[in-house]
């Protein structure tokens, strides 16, 4: 039962939404089936649905249907209906979060019922709201609203040239801005996964935007700068231009777009860091601090575990230990409840690793659940570093071997993830061999081998923990 689609999806509801869903199911407008209400009430006692406490299907049936003889199909039917109610609930939640969509749908229904006075009054109110916005979604709603007004004018026997013109103008903005967003997203994906997608339409989009007077739209201009940032060898001036533009025009850019645009900027810094441009560490750290100050890393009152982890990693690499500890302790509550413990334990382990408190780091890593590829890769990665720095060469060899098998056999890894981790292991094992030789004075040529290895690491364009490897190989030469 706990592996059913219903329970798996209900598990993902935060506590506040679970309470709202109970009220939704209890409403006779949305649900007239008593057994479905019974099931929801019973499930309340087991939320958030742990396997050890969840009842088997016969006990669950008895709690829902009382003294009726057990009939499995009846239980399946009521669970299926509750799942359908969950889908309806999610639609209502969407409308609650997007009131302009709710207003548009109510206008369509009012028009269908010939509620002329209500339609005209509420149309004016929605138009007034949309006139203050310039995000992509608002142009889509404006287009649909203008079409409704064209239909309304036709019913009233009026000529609706203005509404036709407005509908076309909104459609142009919606199409071009959306197209620019998605083509930019595709180009960004290509830099990560090398999809082989041929980008031939950027020039055509820019030309059409110029013809229609959309080229100076803040959203279009910002994404155009991101496009330049995604070219093969972008100049640092392009990055600075983008950051300056985003900060100067912050009030004119929708928050959803700002989040995505700053993500592109952060990804650019990360690529530069991975390519060996270490000065971008400080730039990215300052950018994160600015985004924290402006609350631009928060979506629906939550910060993603990946933003949290990236900030901690940067702070530690820059030696900002006090700031990082304060950040972790005070911002952990902003993490989604389902990810909070895991993300905090992993980042605390990383914190102790940087303080060279390896025992504490290993203890915390034992508490990290491998809920994603990130934790599967990076927990092993951190352990390899610990074993190296603690000169635990046998443990290092064993983990390196199992890690290589993991990289070969695990599905879902990108080619880049697989390659950069394999190269890290290869260089680390060579480094460990040189360190072992120096530790036990096994080879007088070990220093020369270290110099040679340093040159190979420096020449490598994409390598996990490249700076750490260089630091370690330099220590061997001192």
């Amino acid at each position: 039962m706990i592996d059913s689609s219903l329970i798996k999806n209900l598990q993902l509801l935060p506590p506040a939404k679970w309470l709202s869903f109970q009220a939704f199911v209890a409403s006779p407008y949305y649900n007239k089936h008593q057994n479905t209400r019974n099931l929801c009430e019973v499930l309340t006692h087991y939320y958030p649905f742990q396997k050890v406490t969840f009842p088997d299907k016969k006990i669950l049936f008895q709690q829902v249907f009382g003294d009726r003889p057990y009939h499995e199909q009846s239980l399946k039917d009521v669970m299926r209906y509750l799942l359908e109610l969950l889908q309806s609930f999610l639609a209502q939640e969407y409308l609650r979060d997007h009131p302009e969509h709710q207003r548009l749908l109510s206008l369509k229904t009012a028009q269908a019922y010939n509620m002329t006075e209500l339609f005209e009054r509420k149309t004016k109110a929605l138009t007034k709201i949309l006139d203050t916005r310039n995000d992509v979604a608002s142009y889509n709603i404006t287009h649909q609203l203008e079409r409704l007004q064209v239909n309304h004018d036709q019913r009233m026997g009026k000529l609706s040239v203005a509404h036709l013109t407005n509908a076309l103008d909104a459609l142009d903005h919606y199409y071009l801005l959306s197209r620019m967003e998605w083509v930019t997203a595709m180009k960004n994906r290509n830099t990560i996964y090398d999809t082989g997608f041929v980008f031939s339409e950027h020039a055509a989009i820019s030309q059409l935007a110029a013809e229609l007077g959309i080229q100076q739209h803040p959203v279009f201009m910002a994404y155009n700068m991101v496009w330049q940032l995604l070219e093969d060898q972008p100049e640092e001036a392009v990055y600075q231009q983008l950051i300056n533009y985003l900060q100067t025009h912050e009030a004119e850019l929708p928050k959803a777009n700002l989040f995505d645009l700053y993500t592109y900027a952060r990804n650019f810094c990360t690529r530069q860091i991975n390519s060996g441009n270490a000065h971008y560490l400080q730039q990215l750290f300052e950018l994160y601090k600015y985004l924290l100050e402006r609350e631009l890393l928060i979506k629906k009152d939550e910060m993603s575990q990946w933003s949290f982890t990236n900030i901690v990693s940067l702070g530690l690499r820059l030696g900002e230990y006090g700031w990082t500890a304060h950040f972790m302790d005070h911002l952990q509550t902003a993490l989604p409840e389902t990810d909070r413990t895991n993300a905090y334990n992993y980042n605390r382990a990383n914190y102790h690793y940087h303080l060279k408190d390896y025992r504490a780091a290993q203890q915390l890593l034992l508490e990290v659940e491998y809920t994603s590829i990130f934790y599967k890769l990076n927990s092993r990665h951190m352990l390899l570093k610990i074993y190296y720095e603690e000169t635990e060469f046998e443990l290092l060899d064993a983990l390196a071997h199992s890690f290589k098998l993991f990289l070969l056999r695990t599905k879902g890894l990108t080619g880049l993830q697989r390659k950069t981790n394999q190269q890290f292991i290869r260089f680390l094992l060579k480094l460990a061999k040189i360190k072992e030789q120096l530790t036990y004075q096994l080879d007088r040529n070990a220093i020369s081998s270290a110099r040679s290895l340093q040159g190979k690491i420096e020449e490598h364009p994409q390598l996990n923990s490249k700076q750490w490897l260089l630091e370690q190989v330099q220590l061997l030469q001192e």
Side-chain angles (χ1 to χ4, degrees):
M1 286 288 107
I2 198 166
D3 294 325
S4 67
S5 177
L6 172 66
I7 302 303
K8 284 181 178 179
N9 284 288
L10 288 177
Q11 280 178 320
L12 299 175
L13 285 178
K17 294 300 180 185
W18 171 246
L19 291 173
S20 298
F21 179 61
Q22 291 177 60
F24 181 87
V25 173
S27 168
Y29 179 82
Y30 294 108
N31 173 38
K32 295 179 173 60
H33 298 156
Q34 182 59 48
N35 287 331
T36 310
R37 285 196 285 273
N38 292 347
L39 175 59
C40 189
E41 290 173 8
V42 168
L43 291 177
T44 300
H45 300 296
Y46 299 105
Y47 178 85
F49 314 124
Q50 301 297 321
K51 196 166 188 175
V52 292
T53 57
F54 200 79
D56 65 26
K57 54 189 176 183
K58 290 186 178 180
I59 293 176
L60 186 62
F61 179 91
Q62 185 181 41
Q63 291 175 332
V64 174
F65 293 96
D67 296 332
R68 278 179 52 182
Y70 177 70
H71 186 248
E72 187 169 334
Q73 189 58 48
S74 296
L75 181 58
K76 288 182 177 178
D77 289 343
V78 77
M79 290 179 71
R80 187 186 69 252
Y81 189 67
L82 188 59
L83 182 59
E84 291 173 1
L85 281 175
L86 175 61
Q87 292 175 276
S88 298
F89 168 75
L90 295 176
Q92 291 299 322
E93 286 295 296
Y94 177 85
L95 292 176
R96 181 199 294 264
D97 293 338
H98 299 83
E100 67 281 1
H101 288 272
Q102 187 173 32
R103 291 187 180 100
L104 181 67
L105 291 174
S106 69
L107 286 171
K108 288 182 178 181
T109 307
Q111 189 176 78
Y113 285 107
N114 294 317
M115 298 178 180
T116 303
E117 186 274 333
L118 179 64
F119 177 85
E120 292 179 346
R121 179 161 50 85
K122 292 300 180 180
T123 295
K124 290 178 181 178
L126 181 54
T127 300
K128 191 173 181 180
I129 293 171
L130 292 171
D131 284 344
T132 66
R133 292 175 47 178
N134 67 347
D135 57 290
V136 176
S138 70
Y139 289 116
N140 184 24
I141 298 168
T142 298
H143 170 68
Q144 295 183 65
L145 180 61
E146 294 293 341
R147 289 185 62 176
L148 284 177
Q149 293 195 90
V150 169
N151 293 337
H152 178 71
D153 286 351
Q154 287 174 342
R155 288 186 179 189
M156 303 299 291
K158 298 178 181 178
L159 186 64
S160 53
V161 175
H163 291 312
L164 280 170
T165 302
N166 292 341
L168 287 170
D169 183 62
L171 184 60
D172 287 338
H173 277 75
Y174 175 67
Y175 171 77
L176 282 173
L177 294 176
S178 296
R179 193 74 183 173
M180 193 64 180
E181 279 189 41
W182 287 106
V183 169
T184 303
M186 192 65 187
K187 188 173 179 65
N188 179 64
R189 188 68 56 88
N190 195 59
T191 64
I192 302 171
Y193 299 107
D194 192 18
T195 61
F197 187 81
V198 179
F199 302 95
S200 58
E201 59 179 286
H202 176 254
I205 294 174
S206 296
Q207 182 179 348
L208 184 55
E211 292 173 2
L212 296 173
I214 300 174
Q215 202 171 33
Q216 299 302 312
H217 190 285
V219 172
F220 190 92
M221 288 189 70
Y223 278 97
N224 199 41
M225 291 177 196
V226 171
W227 182 275
Q228 296 173 50
L229 204 62
L230 293 171
E231 296 290 10
D232 289 339
Q233 293 182 324
E235 298 179 1
E236 184 172 340
V238 178
Y239 169 77
Q240 294 297 342
Q241 181 186 18
L242 174 63
I243 295 300
N244 291 339
Y245 186 83
L246 295 180
Q247 293 180 356
T248 304
H249 295 81
E250 195 172 287
E252 303 166 52
L253 290 161
K255 191 168 184 179
N257 288 119
L258 269 174
F259 186 91
D260 291 340
L261 290 162
Y262 276 119
T263 299
Y264 286 125
R266 284 155 33 206
N267 289 345
F268 170 78
C269 289
T270 301
R271 288 195 299 274
Q272 295 302 309
I273 293 166
N274 292 339
S275 297
N277 296 327
H279 76 279
Y280 274 96
L281 283 167
Q282 190 64 45
Q283 293 217 37
L284 183 55
F285 188 57
E286 294 303 324
L287 178 57
Y288 267 120
K289 288 201 290 188
Y290 174 82
L291 296 176
L292 285 170
E293 180 186 333
R294 303 294 296 167
E295 297 187 352
L296 291 172
L297 291 174
I298 306 295
K299 292 182 79 172
K300 294 185 177 179
D301 300 322
E302 292 180 338
M303 177 189 295
S304 84
Q305 59 182 320
W306 312 125
S307 293
F308 185 90
T309 299
N310 289 339
I311 293 169
V312 170
S313 178
L314 270 173
L316 295 175
R317 288 181 69 177
L318 291 168
E320 299 277 356
Y321 302 127
W323 185 95
T324 304
H326 182 271
F327 167 80
M328 285 191 292
D329 290 340
H330 286 78
L331 268 294
Q332 62 169 309
T333 54
L335 290 164
E337 190 172 351
T338 53
D339 304 324
R340 188 175 301 155
T341 301
N342 219 33
Y344 185 75
N345 285 337
Y346 171 81
N347 284 288
R348 264 288 165 188
N350 196 19
Y351 173 78
H352 284 289
Y353 163 74
H354 277 80
L355 293 181
K356 300 190 182 302
D357 185 357
Y358 298 131
R359 180 169 294 184
Q362 290 181 75
Q363 186 60 44
L364 284 162
L365 284 176
L366 290 174
E367 300 178 30
V368 175
E369 297 180 12
Y370 290 166
T371 54
S372 73
I373 288 293
F374 173 86
Y375 294 119
K376 292 175 183 177
L377 291 174
N378 289 336
S379 293
R380 290 174 169 89
H381 199 86
M382 195 188 305
L383 274 175
L384 282 174
K385 290 181 178 180
I386 290 172
Y387 291 155
Y388 173 85
E389 296 189 31
E390 290 277 81
T391 63
E392 296 282 0
F393 297 123
E394 290 184 6
L395 292 174
L396 175 65
D397 284 339
L399 179 56
H401 177 70
S402 66
F403 197 2
K404 284 191 284 188
L405 291 176
F406 171 82
L407 293 171
L408 287 172
R409 296 173 179 174
T410 302
K411 296 179 180 179
L413 292 177
T414 67
L416 186 63
Q417 285 174 323
R418 187 172 280 110
K419 182 179 178 180
T420 55
N421 279 285
Q422 287 171 337
Q423 294 294 344
F424 171 77
I425 294 170
R426 183 169 69 88
F427 281 118
L428 180 60
L429 288 175
K430 290 182 178 181
L431 193 63
K433 184 178 180 180
I434 296 171
K435 184 177 182 180
E436 187 174 13
Q437 290 170 344
L438 287 169
T439 302
Y440 301 108
Q441 298 180 347
L442 300 176
D443 187 351
R444 288 180 294 178
N445 297 319
I447 295 293
S448 177
S449 298
R451 291 195 194 99
S452 175
L453 183 60
Q454 180 176 344
K456 291 175 182 177
I457 294 172
E458 288 173 344
E459 291 171 3
H460 207 285
Q462 290 184 319
L463 182 61
N464 264 7
S465 295
K466 182 175 182 177
Q467 190 61 37
W468 179 85
L469 288 169
L470 289 172
E471 289 170 2
Q472 297 305 315
V473 78
Q474 286 164 4
L475 285 173
L476 295 181
Q477 298 173 58
E478 293 178 356

